[in-house]
Amino acid sequence: MDGFLRRTVSLDGSSKDLGQQNDYAVVALGGYGREELCFHSDIDLMFLMPEKCNGDIQDITGRILYPLWDAGLTVGYCNRTLKDCIAMMKDDITIRTSLMEMRYLMGNQDLFRKSQESIFKNAVSKGVNFFVNELLKDMKARHGSYGDSIYYLEPHIKEGKGGLRDIQSALWLAKVRFQAGNVHHLKEKGVLSSWEISLLEECLEYLWMVRTGLHLISGRGNDHLAFEHQKKIAALLGYCDTDPTNMVRSFMHDYYRCTENAKYLSSVLIDRSLNNGKVAGRIRKRRFFKKMEPGFCVKDDKIYVTDPNLLKNEPLTLMKVFEYSTDLRLGIHLETQDLVRNNLDEIDDEFRKSKKVNRSFLSIVEKKNSVAETLKTMHRLGVLGKFIPEFGCITHLPQSPHHHVYTADAHTLCAIEECENLLSGRYGKVFPFLSKLVKEENRPDLVFLGLLVHDLGKVFETDHVKHGEQIAYTICKRLGLSQDDTDIIIFLVKNHIYMSAIAQTRDLSDEHLIIKFAQNMQDTDRLRMLYILTFADMKASRAEAFNSWKAGLFQELYVRAFHILEKGDFTMTDVACKLDHIKSEVMRELRPKMPTDDIQYNFDLTPSRYLLNNSPEVISNHILLCYNLEDKALAFDVRHKLDKGYYDIFIATPDFHGLFSKVCGVMVYHNMNILDAQIDTRSDGIAIDLLRVNYLYRDENVAEEEWKAIQEDLEKAIDGRINVEDLVRKKESYIHPKGKGIQRIKTAIHIDNNSSDFYTIIDVKTSDRFGLLYIITKAMFDMGISIYIAKISTSLTHVTDSFYVRDIFGQKIYDEKTLKKVRGTLMKVLES
């Protein structure tokens, strides 16, 4: 790039003008200034001018810039004097960092050299505290935007945590603090050791290889390592395996290890810069209430090992470093971190079986705070994977991108952190019921341990739950846990996806289902623990996985199961008694609004199942809608559930086969996402449907005009004035969803005739796409299948939808030929 620019200038005679007539200098800034360019990096230039200009700067810049633009390059440029540079760098850290690394290209060398010396002198002597604070603030904001973890499955190579920008920021900070012109000056000044310099250069080389490859494959400036690029990058960098999944896994394992080291080196540089590189520090042998063993102290408010041979001579004391860190809620001194890293080989079978070590480890997880932070530090230093080798096997292990955004190890530690957040009251306003419930938990340590081991079976490709039970049992015995505690942890591992599956895909008004679930829980303590663990597990998969809507489902399941366990009564409720109670509640609600005889008449028309499965409020609202329907095609009402983040839509209309499919089509057209649907028909032929929906694209309230438009289109669809299929096709024609770079998952159809006494349940797991619910319901309508309940669960790029159905005669579907046809038809429409 330097050669191209210089040749371009010399060919039109500009070099003479630059160097002699006007005394200008052309300077490279940013990555170009650091001599770090990828195929599609920006070219940042500065035209450094003397205070008194003798020539036409626009003419000079034009002769340089136009050829670069004609070549298709993205060029950023500015014209500045030395005074401009010094003035601007005072209040703008981006300008300061850019100028700190400016590099001479052509023109007046004396002007460049004097300017460079003055700029560097100002950078390291004036406004340093402002620069440090702004740089750290910028790092925090950047991590907030691009991800505060190095373990994202689709990381950002440049701006993400452990990426190139973190290293650059740490180096800028160190250069300013220690007045070092380059990395090797930091070694000369004793800021970085020889092995740290080597590790830093190794990290930079690997990150630049990945970034350069990504630019080459993408054909553009791209720093987002998306799934669609990972296989190509792995092949480009020489990773080989007959199984593409293993090839990508090996590549990403090395990438995460590199960013781990980059994150570590960045934190070392920042820490030493903030402490001005001081080696000596204040030493306190005691802190608060804790009496420390010989060889340990608090130095610079960090846990410090005073004897460099302690961990070698007495390896069983290594776990004490982390126990003290948790007890005192202090970090670990960098010198001690190095000491721990250098003594990892001391963690052997004897160490793992030591009662002293295990007591120390268990005391860490018995705390209600700082547990996640300590375990993360243990993991970063390599201790956790050595102490629990089974955890080491899932380190950097990529998970299904259809469920997770983190690797298996990062997800596990994040889940423990989410459990801590819940215990600390962080979610008190968002999830008040669960936040209150968690205060009743007396053994959070068992939940922490359950989370720590719950996904260890993922190292196997099949049935990670079953494998995980065996692994958890081995670990519990090695830690010396009691049989009762071991049983609880095994229970948590065995059921860690069970509660989620029931809450999100099954009809929670089915009493038989709830009784079976409660029996599996055994007691209220295990139910509560599983609820807490499930929340943390889901929340750690991605932030939005556990929202207000899902919180309501889990709460309903928990409360129903809790009442059964509390009473110890696993028999079905007296249906007649329950019906009488519900009717009396509805009667009390409706008496002021309609005659008693009409209320009773509506009771007689309404299916008992509907009355048993809905609240008096819902039943009353529907009866009023039917009462006021008269000759209209549709009665429509909406209730906004502000605290739960969804809308209840009540529909009453003369029933016909395929009604729900038409409703789904209209909802798709108006950007309504159906979360749950309950479809019933009265004996007079009136359909009474309850839909729970949220708005697909925006969080704000849906305008009244939008609801009116939905009602009008529903009326037109019902009486045939519009074709719903055309409506959906029209919507799809200008919707162009952006691909996420993830391969579509294989569609799976599961038919269950055992979970419900009255319905066949069809579970559909497939990739999410535009109008999916309409596609499924239309296919069922075409096959003569009637849908009574729909449960919709979306996770990142895939959905698991469950439909409670009957055949055209109102019966469960048992015939094998019919079931085979159902599977085949659904597979065909979903895979086409």
Side-chain angles (χ1 to χ4, degrees), residues 84-139:
D84 294 335
C85 293
I86 292 173
M88 296 177 75
M89 65 188 282
K90 287 181 181 178
D91 301 320
D92 191 319
I93 63 165
T94 303
I95 293 176
R96 184 183 294 208
T97 55
S98 183
L99 291 172
M100 281 166 56
E101 296 176 317
M102 69 182 192
R103 183 170 59 87
Y104 173 78
L105 289 175
M106 65 185 77
N108 189 304
Q109 293 190 38
D110 288 338
L111 175 63
F112 170 79
R113 187 173 58 254
K114 290 176 183 177
S115 299
Q116 185 185 40
E117 290 173 358
S118 182
I119 286 170
F120 190 75
K121 182 179 178 181
N122 276 272
V124 301
S125 62
K126 296 182 179 180
V128 172
N129 289 334
F130 167 79
F131 173 75
V132 171
N133 291 333
E134 288 299 305
L135 193 63
L136 294 176
K137 191 186 298 182
D138 178 71
M139 285 184 71

Side-chain angles (χ1 to χ4, degrees), residues 14-71:
S14 299
S15 58
K16 182 178 179 181
D17 295 338
L18 271 169
Q20 298 174 13
Q21 181 182 344
N22 294 313
D23 287 338
Y24 295 108
V26 182
V27 177
L29 300 176
Y32 187 28
R34 290 191 300 272
E35 296 184 305
E36 296 174 343
L37 281 187
C38 282
F39 290 109
H40 298 280
S41 295
D42 294 350
I43 307 301
D44 293 321
L45 301 174
M46 178 173 71
F47 295 90
L48 188 59
M49 304 180 294
E51 296 303 323
K52 293 182 179 180
C53 301
N54 297 319
D56 184 359
I57 187 63
Q58 298 300 327
D59 179 57
I60 298 293
T61 57
R63 276 186 280 170
I64 294 175
L65 294 173
Y66 282 119
L68 299 179
W69 286 331
D70 291 342

Side-chain angles (χ1 to χ4, degrees), residues 195 264 308 311-312 318 334-347 381 383:
W195 78 268
Y264 165 73
L311 303 186
K312 186 79 174 176
L318 189 149
L334 285 172
E335 291 179 22
T336 300
Q337 291 187 36
D338 290 342
L339 199 61
V340 169
R341 281 175 178 267
N342 293 333
N343 285 279
L344 290 177
D345 289 341
E346 303 300 326
I347 303 176
L381 297 179
V383 174

Side-chain angles (χ1 to χ4, degrees), residues 380-413:
R380 177 171 57 80
L381 297 179
V383 174
L384 192 57
K386 290 279 284 183
F387 178 60
I388 303 178
E390 299 87 347
F391 189 86
C393 292
I394 66 164
T395 297
H396 303 157
L397 179 69
Q399 301 190 89
S400 165
H402 306 289
H403 298 270
H404 295 275
V405 294
Y406 296 120
T407 55
D409 53 331
H411 163 75
T412 297
L413 297 175

Side-chain angles (χ1 to χ4, degrees), residues 481-543:
L481 295 180
S482 68
Q483 188 60 50
D484 287 344
D485 288 354
T486 299
D487 289 344
I488 290 174
I489 291 171
I490 299 300
F491 165 83
L492 293 173
V493 173
K494 181 180 180 180
N495 293 283
H496 77 269
I497 58 177
Y498 176 53
M499 188 175 194
S500 174
I502 296 295
Q504 297 183 86
T505 67
R506 291 297 178 258
D507 177 17
L508 300 184
S509 63
D510 185 341
E511 192 174 9
H512 175 74
L513 177 84
I514 302 300
I515 289 174
K516 183 180 177 181
F517 174 78
Q519 287 173 329
N520 287 333
M521 294 298 100
Q522 301 175 38
D523 58 57
T524 56
D525 288 338
R526 293 189 180 207
L527 172 65
R528 182 179 60 252
M529 284 183 175
L530 184 62
Y531 188 10
I532 295 168
L533 179 138
T534 304
F535 162 82
D537 187 23
M538 291 180 64
K539 197 72 176 168
S541 64
R542 65 191 197 287

Side-chain angles (χ1 to χ4, degrees), residues 693-752:
V693 306
N694 59 17
Y695 200 35
L696 197 57
Y697 298 118
R698 296 197 296 272
D699 293 330
E700 64 261 27
N701 295 341
V702 180
E704 186 65 32
E705 292 75 16
E706 185 70 20
W707 291 121
K708 287 179 180 178
I710 291 172
Q711 181 175 353
E712 288 174 4
D713 282 343
L714 280 173
E715 290 172 351
K716 291 175 183 177
I718 288 168
D719 62 22
R721 282 179 287 156
I722 58 173
N723 185 302
V724 174
E725 197 162 346
D726 291 342
L727 207 62
V728 174
R729 195 178 295 114
K730 177 183 175 183
K731 182 73 173 182
E732 190 175 18
S733 66
Y734 63 86
I735 293 288
H736 301 286
K738 293 181 180 179
K740 298 179 182 291
I742 305 176
Q743 290 185 345
R744 290 167 65 118
I745 66 168
K746 187 176 180 180
T747 296
I749 310 292
H750 177 257
I751 298 179
D752 177 5

Side-chain angles (χ1 to χ4, degrees), residues 578-635:
K578 187 176 179 181
L579 271 174
D580 288 342
H581 175 72
I582 291 170
K583 288 178 179 179
S584 65
E585 289 289 315
V586 175
M587 187 72 76
R588 183 163 49 249
E589 177 78 20
L590 289 178
R591 270 202 190 101
K593 303 171 185 176
M594 56 189 295
T596 302
D597 289 346
D598 288 342
I599 299 172
Q600 188 60 53
Y601 175 70
N602 276 274
F603 282 153
D604 295 338
L605 294 172
T606 306
S608 296
R609 189 199 71 87
Y610 167 86
L611 294 172
L612 290 168
N613 292 345
N614 288 288
S615 68
E617 178 193 7
V618 169
I619 297 168
S620 300
N621 200 26
H622 257 146
I623 288 177
L624 279 174
L625 285 178
C626 295
Y627 184 65
N628 296 319
L629 183 61
E630 297 176 348
D631 295 328
K632 292 183 292 185
L634 173 76

